[in-house]
Amino acid sequence: MVQQKVIPLSLDSVITPFRNKLNLPLTKKQITVLQINLGKRCNLACSHCHVEASPKRTEELSPEVCQQLITLIEKFPQIKIVDLTGGAPEMLYGFKPIVEAARANGKQVIVRSNLTIYFESGFSDIPDYCAQHQVRIVASLPCYLSDNVDKMRGNGVYDASIRALQWLNRLGYGQDPNLILDLVYNPQLPATENFSLTPNQASLEQDYKVFLQEHFGICFNNLFAITNLPIGRTKLYLERKELHRPYLQFLESNFNSTTVEHLMCRDELSIDYLGNVYDCDFNQMENLPSKTHDGEMLTVNKLLNAGTLDLIENIRTANYCYGCTAGSGSSCGGTLI
């Protein structure tokens, strides 16, 4: 008997393309947020990192692109927030010049920190520097229990993170209204098809606050519960476990149309270390650049030459967008609804 070859189904045959799920094209609003990925060098190599950052990566911002970004920040008052990420943004070229330019122009500055960078040689000044410039710190702490954190981020990371949070508290973070300290929760990566949505953000925040205060005397402002999107190391992990397709199907089955109005890609531009422009950080990591209505790929330099930030009409989407629209939604600022 001749065995028939089984041809695996394509993703498009089992997942509704995200653009087809929407009644209308996903369009940009006025741009108010500039999220800048300063590079991929990091002192950690977390298992869930969608950037695939690590100490072995060398990519980072150039002086030329740094100056273009500073000019962009100075030129457009509509930019309200400058959001710095990486890698570990504090260890990458351009971090301090961009912080200072943004603060001098009245922007809120966010730095997405892994906290452990404070204990690396040459970076012990960062907590005081951030306090001096009233930088909002959004810190990764994917669980309030040590085992889960060390499993995702490396041995000893939890203890270092606790010491860093206590350090920030001593500087006034989490207490002074000008020194905002937020934490980020990421779920554990699934080992089976028994998927679940991100827990309720408000109740999880309360659990974090009670535990960290009782055990370590730590206080903070907000918890952001973020869904793991199937890109970067998360995608590689899911593929190894043969869970990538089932996970996408799970996310699609929990699509919530009321999240669409609040998606972070609507009012932000994501910039990479080369100066290329994307609709969001996730599109950046999947190399899905933003384009004008003429199909032209955007760069920071082109935005400067055009004299406007609002050149993009329709946002480019992909299957992983279901991660931002499942359940209560997900963004770099936590749940959406």
Side-chain angles (χ1 to χ4, degrees):
M1 183 176 178
V2 178
Q3 241 182 350
Q4 286 190 326
K5 185 177 180 181
V6 177
I7 301 174
L9 295 171
S10 69
L11 273 180
D12 281 347
S13 66
V14 292
I15 306 291
T16 306
F18 188 77
R19 64 182 179 276
N20 295 349
K21 184 71 74 170
L22 307 177
N23 294 323
L24 297 169
L26 190 59
T27 55
K28 285 284 194 190
K29 303 176 183 179
Q30 185 186 52
I31 299 303
T32 59
V33 180
L34 201 63
Q35 187 174 71
I36 304 168
N37 186 298
L38 297 176
K40 301 196 177 188
R41 187 157 54 93
C42 188
N43 60 311
L44 300 178
C46 301
S47 63
H48 64 295
C49 181
H50 70 279
V51 181
E52 299 183 69
S54 80
K56 296 180 179 179
R57 303 299 293 262
T58 59
E59 304 96 321
E60 66 181 318
L61 198 68
S62 68
E64 179 186 8
V65 174
C66 180
Q67 186 53 56
Q68 289 174 358
L69 287 164
I70 289 172
T71 303
L72 202 73
I73 290 164
E74 293 171 342
K75 187 173 182 178
F76 295 101
Q78 73 190 71
I79 298 171
K80 305 303 180 188
I81 298 172
V82 176
D83 186 343
L84 301 178
T85 183
E90 303 97 326
M91 71 189 303
L92 296 167
Y93 183 85
F95 172 70
K96 289 183 178 179
I98 291 173
V99 166
E100 288 161 28
R103 293 299 294 139
N105 285 272
K107 320 295 186 187
Q108 181 186 63
V109 176
I110 295 172
V111 60
R112 298 188 179 271
S113 182
N114 66 31
L115 295 174
T116 64
I117 187 64
Y118 304 161
F119 303 105
E120 298 288 340
S121 177
F123 299 101
S124 60
D125 67 314
I126 294 298
D128 285 284
Y129 178 85
C130 288
Q132 176 190 345
H133 293 281
Q134 298 183 348
V135 173
R136 182 173 188 165
I137 296 174
V138 178
S140 179
L141 192 71
C143 184
Y144 54 78
L145 301 175
S146 60
D147 288 350
N148 289 346
V149 172
D150 285 358
K151 182 179 178 182
M152 292 178 76
R153 307 186 67 209
N155 291 334
V157 169
Y158 181 81
D159 288 343
S161 298
I162 293 298
R163 287 188 289 127
L165 291 171
Q166 291 169 330
W167 185 350
L168 292 171
N169 278 175
R170 289 193 297 273
L171 293 172
Y173 271 99
Q175 301 153 88
D176 185 327
N178 295 312
L179 299 177
I180 304 299
L181 174 61
D182 302 320
L183 301 184
V184 175
Y185 162 86
N186 290 91
Q188 294 287 304
L189 297 179
T192 68
E193 290 190 26
N194 186 26
F195 306 121
S196 59
L197 294 172
T198 302
N200 178 272
Q201 182 171 279
S203 60
L204 187 61
E205 178 181 294
Q206 190 59 28
D207 291 343
Y208 264 72
K209 286 187 170 180
V210 169
F211 185 89
L212 293 176
Q213 179 59 239
E214 286 184 353
H215 289 79
F216 305 108
I218 288 170
C219 60
F220 66 94
N221 295 96
N222 308 287
L223 180 74
F224 299 149
I226 296 180
T227 300
N228 289 322
L229 265 68
I231 56 178
R233 289 199 186 109
T234 296
K235 179 180 178 181
L236 294 172
Y237 168 88
L238 292 169
E239 288 176 339
R240 285 197 303 272
K241 295 284 188 179
E242 298 184 350
L243 293 172
H244 181 232
R245 182 182 297 167
Y247 186 59
L248 279 171
Q249 289 175 310
F250 168 77
L251 293 175
E252 182 189 351
S253 70
N254 284 281
F255 173 75
N256 183 346
S257 61
T258 61
T259 63
V260 174
E261 175 65 21
H262 308 287
L263 289 171
M264 65 180 184
C265 57
R266 304 292 302 274
D267 62 358
E268 85 166 25
L269 296 178
S270 173
I271 316 291
D272 71 9
Y273 61 92
L274 296 172
N276 299 311
V277 178
Y278 304 80
D279 291 309
C280 69
D281 188 49
F282 305 121
N283 278 4
Q284 182 182 146
M285 295 311 134
E286 287 292 294
N287 195 28
L288 201 66
S290 295
K291 294 184 177 181
T292 66
H293 65 279
D294 295 327
E296 183 182 4
M297 289 173 53
L298 281 180
T299 64
V300 174
N301 197 43
K302 287 177 182 176
L303 292 173
L304 288 171
N305 290 336
T308 178
L309 298 178
D310 301 302
L311 289 175
I312 303 166
E313 293 181 6
N314 295 334
I315 295 165
R316 300 187 71 183
T317 62
N319 288 331
Y320 49 78
C321 297
Y322 285 116
C324 292
T325 54
S328 296
S330 181
S331 74
C332 289
T335 55
L336 298 174
I337 56 172

